[in-house]
Amino acid sequence: MSLSATALGALIRPCGPVIDPAIAARTHDRLIETADAGGWRAALDAAWLALEPVFAASPYLSGLARRWPDRLHDILRQDPEARLAAILSDTDALTGGAEDVRRPLRLLKAELHLLTAIADLGGHWDLDQVTGALSRFADATTRTALAAVAHDQRTRGKLTSAPDDPRGPVPGLFGLAMGKHGAFELNYSSDIDISFFFDPEQLAAALGPGVEAQTFVNRIGQGLATLLSERTADGYVFRVDLRLRPDPSSTPPVVAVPMALDYYESVGQNWERAAFIKARAVCGDAVAAAEFLNDLTPFIWRRSLDYQAVLDIQSIKRQIHVHKTGEGLEAAGANLKLGRGGIREIEFHAQTQQLILGGRDPGLRKDRTVEALAALAAAGHMPAEVADELTIAYVRLRGLEHRVQMLDDEQTHTLPADPGRRQAVAALEGHADLASFDAGVETLLAGVNRRYGELFEGEEDLSSPYGSLVFTGTDNDPETLATLERMGFSEPASVADTIRSWHHGRIPATRTARGRELFTRLAPRLLTALADTGAPDAAFRRFAVFFSGMNAGVQVQALFLGQPRLFDLVVGVMAFAPRLARALGRYPAALDSMLDARFQTELGINTGLFDQMDAEARASGDFEGAMNVVRRLHREQDFRIGIQTLSGRVGPAAAGLAYTNLADAVMRTLSEAALVETLRLGGAFPGVVAVIALGKAGSREMTASSDLDLMTVYDAPPEAVSAGKGWSADLWGARFTQRLIAALSAHTGEGGLYEVDMRLRPSGSKGPVSVRLAAFEAYYAEEAATWEFMSLTRARVVWASDADFGERVTAAIEGALRRPRPGVDVAADVRSMRDLMDRERRPSGFWDLKLASGGQVDAEFVGQYRQLVRAAAGATLTVSTVDQLGHDPVLAESWTLHQQLSQLLACAFEDRPDPDAEPSAFQARLAEGADAPDFDRLRAQLADVRMRARAAFETALPCPRDGVSDDPR
Ligand SMILES: NC(=O)CC[C@H](N)C(=O)O
């Protein structure tokens, strides 16, 4: 039997060259056999010219033809429209449960695919007819599948409504076709995006007793997805994606309508608005679906948009990196959908404009891309030639995409990199010469990409120098994953997921629309800054803790956006300074201090800190209040000094001074408070008291991790007692000191301050916690050992209840230092002290800056030794280690380098740091902070200076056993 004039077999033309006649011949042989047997050889012969290039190029289509030759015959002999109508009505007519429809649906899909491909490739159907056929078939299968899974639930008694209920197989439940399917633009081998929602009230009436609604609808949604997507011997129907729903990573697969409306109205994204442009009810309760879509209209089409909202909508397209046109565009491996110059650029071009303008102009609310372009051009929002050019490109790109998918029925959008397979695509599009096909594709992509780039002129780019950073949509954008990988993240997908969850408003910082708009702009800068630290993983982890811990985000994000340098600093902190990162994470308010003008002022300049602390502490009303005020201000300042130290703004001396000035302000404020508290508790007392700092606080060389070495000294008339409790002077001094220690070291709701060490006081731990000035003097005159005098070289009165008393104490310290100690070999004492220490406390490793041979203790001991000798000789005294080492340049050099490193390490880390284990970017920064060219050379430099310093130490304090020293013992 030959073909009628309207039969598809008579209407089709060859699509292009036959790239592999042998392969086509194998299919041909098989078909001839069946056609001869079935009596349709003439029909086959009539169509063969058009079929041969198709079967030569597409393994998938020849497979279908060989497997079901009779279906091919049906397709060839009938009018294609009639055949399509029959496939659709057969699909709709299927009844029964999942078991009953599983196989027929797959056979119908194969037939539909063969029909569509032949009509398309044979030049009979245009793009609209092709996508229309695919979409309508998807509609029908979805309806049938829903009816089938509902049928099964009905059989099991879970669903009580009638199969022909006017509200659909499951009253209240409906599915929306989203994306291309929704707009009848479905791809040849695409997933279908269906969003399921349910109206709880409607549904409740239809459920069997004790059936829980959410569980039930989940089962329906998933059952439908499985029925269509699972692969059996007959293939599959459609892969179904249920994720185009509110925040799919945290919601069930089928969402209740009230919850969905609430989500879209409160945290809905612009890209979700864009997705709803194409949404359409496809199966289930049509009444509920219409109501839902109607209720969503104001969400999708917003009547008024402020500038920030417009920018945010445009972010959808601005996240794609715009290259210089033409550069690096290649046909081989080009992603026709998501790649440069691809379909997505055309869609975004249209959709962003639609979202911005469609609220006021309903004429722009077109669901189909080609129509949207035309409407935008007609309304004057796009030059007609741009719309035409993009339309032509769109049609060709979609055609190419279909041809790529027809090769193997795979959901791919990539022009094969393999020349042989690309040749097959070219042939299906009518090209014999691969080079000219490639060149044509490249021109096409470049044209779209150029138009797309024009959209950005004058707009802020939301990608990064590293590439695209797209976080819209439900799938990870492949280019974005590549960008993140290039940035150095070891788990790009999890970074993308976290960023996406922030966009979804899952943390307080992005819970408001404004917070999200700001985050859209901040995200690319954040990722770029993280990458630039060289330690993006650690930095991201710490930033995430910080950012998700903030209880609001607008102010901070606006600050970051307005102050890029500051932002880079904060990100650097995240990368390199867990201690500061943790402080920020726990008390994000510390960031507020960055807003303070004083934050960026030079350290060292008197910023009025003590006055502020003192005033606020007094205003706080009581002792506890004062402790909290001081802790808050301390934290801010500590953070400020830490940032400046870490960023290299201040050197070690200035940092030491700054940390010490801070400690001084704290000690003064809390000494005042402790005194007031002591008088309040014990009653008036005619005594005076002073606080002496020793150690690094005394020498003004504190780091972020220094503790406070303190002693207190008091004086009072001999028999004085306090008015209230009748405390004697020693009790009063002790009470004050205990209050002070508590004030400095206790942890309150505002955190802690310092560890306090009182062991350097006269008689150490065995002595009273506070001593009378006379006892202090007597102790150093009679009992103190050389190591106690060493400590005293760094003693400094930081606070006194009475200025005169403070001066008396200062004079007493100096007196003690200068008093000759006949018969004492200071050098030998210092040396044996150092040796003892070396035996008892070994350095913990190369980075033990204190105890390393030639490290800080060696230098400090020599300095203190020099100071003691100088004091006895009546020379000027100093607490500073470097000044004490004026005549020992090598030791001073070593001490300074160690101090520099210890400042950096102390502000960055809480525990004992191991720079060898830190990211190389941190090592580089450490080297830079110490003026070394790189980390390896820093280590070498350190080893070298230690060796020289140790030699200088040996010269200054020779070992008594060597007989060089004149040790009298
Ligand atoms: N995930 C995102 O990148 C969000 C971008 C933009 N805020 C939107 O709503 O689409």
Side-chain angles (χ1 to χ4, degrees), residues 174-406:
F174 58 92
L176 302 181
M178 310 289 288
K180 294 193 167 70
H181 177 195
F184 292 97
E185 296 172 328
L186 199 61
N187 277 324
Y188 192 73
S189 301
S190 168
D191 290 0
I192 53 176
D193 291 307
I194 311 264
S195 301
F196 279 107
F197 301 93
F198 71 102
D199 173 341
E201 278 173 35
Q202 287 293 334
L203 177 67
L207 293 182
V211 177
E212 205 271 317
Q214 185 67 59
T215 318
F216 177 81
V217 291
N218 291 351
R219 192 156 295 152
I220 294 275
Q222 267 152 353
L224 177 142
T226 310
L227 173 57
L228 294 182
S229 58
E230 94 191 313
R231 272 180 195 275
T232 71
D234 303 311
Y236 68 101
V237 191
F238 286 105
R239 279 171 306 260
V240 181
D241 193 340
L242 301 176
R243 286 173 309 156
L244 215 50
R245 63 175 189 265
D247 201 357
S249 61
S250 68
T251 52
V254 180
V255 180
V257 164
M259 184 183 153
L261 289 174
D262 185 54
Y263 167 86
Y264 288 122
E265 272 148 32
S266 60
V267 291
Q269 312 275 295
N270 289 309
W271 64 265
E272 290 174 314
R273 293 190 166 89
F276 271 103
I277 296 180
K278 293 178 187 288
R280 165 173 70 85
V282 69
C283 62
D285 188 333
V287 180
E291 265 170 30
F292 178 70
L293 285 174
N294 190 47
D295 288 347
L296 270 189
T297 305
F299 158 76
I300 307 165
W301 305 111
R302 290 193 295 168
R303 301 214 106 256
S304 66
L305 291 166
D306 62 19
Y307 179 65
Q308 297 300 332
V310 169
L311 275 185
D312 199 41
I313 290 173
Q314 289 176 338
S315 74
I316 296 172
K317 62 177 196 250
R318 289 183 297 148
Q319 297 178 342
I320 297 178
H321 190 54
V322 185
H323 299 248
K324 283 205 211 78
T325 311
E327 157 211 316
L329 257 180
E330 278 189 33
N335 187 327
L336 300 169
K337 179 183 180 187
L338 305 178
R340 288 174 51 202
I343 294 161
R344 183 174 61 174
E345 291 182 3
I346 301 174
E347 290 174 339
F348 282 3
H349 205 311
Q351 289 170 1
T352 48
Q353 303 264 80
Q354 287 182 283
L355 285 182
I356 293 166
L357 303 162
R360 297 189 164 277
D361 181 355
L364 298 176
R365 302 178 188 177
K366 302 286 184 205
D367 58 351
R368 316 193 64 194
T369 301
V370 167
E371 287 169 20
L373 290 171
L376 285 164
H381 301 301
M382 183 185 287
E385 73 271 15
V386 175
D388 288 347
E389 189 183 322
L390 291 178
T391 300
I392 291 167
Y394 177 80
V395 171
R396 170 137 193 238
L397 284 167
R398 290 296 313 272
L400 272 172
E401 193 185 26
H402 285 166
R403 278 148 187 75
V404 169
Q405 297 179 342
M406 282 170 189

Side-chain angles (χ1 to χ4, degrees), residues 434-723:
L434 184 58
S436 76
F437 169 78
D438 284 353
V441 169
E442 283 159 19
T443 309
L444 178 73
L445 297 175
V448 172
N449 192 234
R450 184 178 53 246
R451 290 299 184 200
Y452 192 66
E454 284 167 8
L455 278 181
F456 284 89
E457 270 156 23
E459 275 175 28
E460 182 187 359
D461 183 358
L462 292 180
S463 69
S464 136
Y466 294 89
S468 294
L469 289 170
V470 177
F471 297 103
T472 54
T474 44
D475 279 318
N476 281 331
D477 172 53
E479 254 306 305
T480 297
L481 293 182
T483 304
L484 292 170
E485 193 166 339
R486 228 173 286 131
M487 288 177 145
F489 291 100
S490 58
E491 285 176 55
S494 95
V495 171
D497 287 346
T498 306
I499 296 284
R500 190 175 282 127
S501 78
W502 292 348
H503 275 300
H504 273 297
R506 250 189 272 144
I507 54 171
T510 53
R511 216 148 276 166
T512 63
R514 184 88 182 97
R516 283 193 300 283
E517 288 165 1
L518 289 170
F519 183 65
T520 304
R521 292 177 59 210
L522 191 64
R525 298 202 199 173
L526 167 66
L527 293 164
T528 306
L530 292 169
D532 288 344
T533 65
D537 284 336
F540 185 65
R541 200 168 3 91
R542 291 172 190 146
F543 187 87
V545 171
F546 156 72
F547 197 56
S548 43
M550 285 193 325
N551 43 27
V554 169
Q555 203 203 1
V556 168
Q557 294 194 82
L559 172 71
F560 285 163
L561 285 165
Q563 307 259 346
R565 251 180 47 87
L566 181 93
F567 182 53
D568 287 348
L569 267 183
V570 170
V571 171
V573 162
M574 300 303 168
F576 301 128
R579 188 182 76 89
L580 293 178
R582 231 164 74 99
L584 257 189
R586 244 191 277 154
Y587 305 98
L591 268 183
D592 291 350
S593 65
M594 294 178 132
L595 291 168
D596 192 321
R598 288 176 300 181
F599 191 83
Q600 298 280 359
T601 54
E602 295 287 336
L603 297 173
I605 293 179
N606 180 6
T607 52
L609 180 61
F610 168 67
D611 293 340
Q612 183 191 359
M613 223 181 239
D614 192 54
E616 288 191 28
R618 281 174 202 281
S620 74
D622 63 1
F623 191 55
E624 278 287 322
M627 284 168 65
N628 283 330
V629 163
V630 170
R631 276 158 177 72
R632 184 170 47 72
L633 291 171
H634 172 270
R635 190 166 55 233
E636 291 174 5
Q637 290 304 313
D638 175 83
F639 186 68
R640 167 173 175 252
I641 303 167
I643 294 255
Q644 299 213 12
T645 304
L646 203 68
S647 63
R649 262 185 77 113
V650 294
L657 211 54
Y659 279 120
T660 311
N661 284 343
L662 172 59
D664 280 4
V666 167
M667 287 189 282
R668 287 180 189 143
T669 305
L670 291 179
S671 296
E672 293 285 353
L675 181 63
V676 170
E677 181 71 355
T678 310
L679 296 174
R680 186 181 72 79
L681 293 173
F685 182 79
V688 286
V689 61
V691 176
I692 301 171
L694 303 102
K696 297 225 149 155
S699 62
R700 295 200 173 87
E701 291 158 349
M702 291 177 73
T703 68
S705 66
S706 296
D707 57 8
L708 295 177
D709 290 304
L710 298 183
M711 55 173 107
T712 61
V713 181
Y714 63 86
D715 203 9
E719 303 302 327
V721 288
S722 76

Side-chain angles (χ1 to χ4, degrees), residues 29 36 42 437 447 473 543 702 755 768 833 845 855 906-907 921:
D29 291 346
D36 281 343
F437 169 78
F543 187 87
M702 291 177 73
E755 310 234 322
M833 166 91 188
C907 80

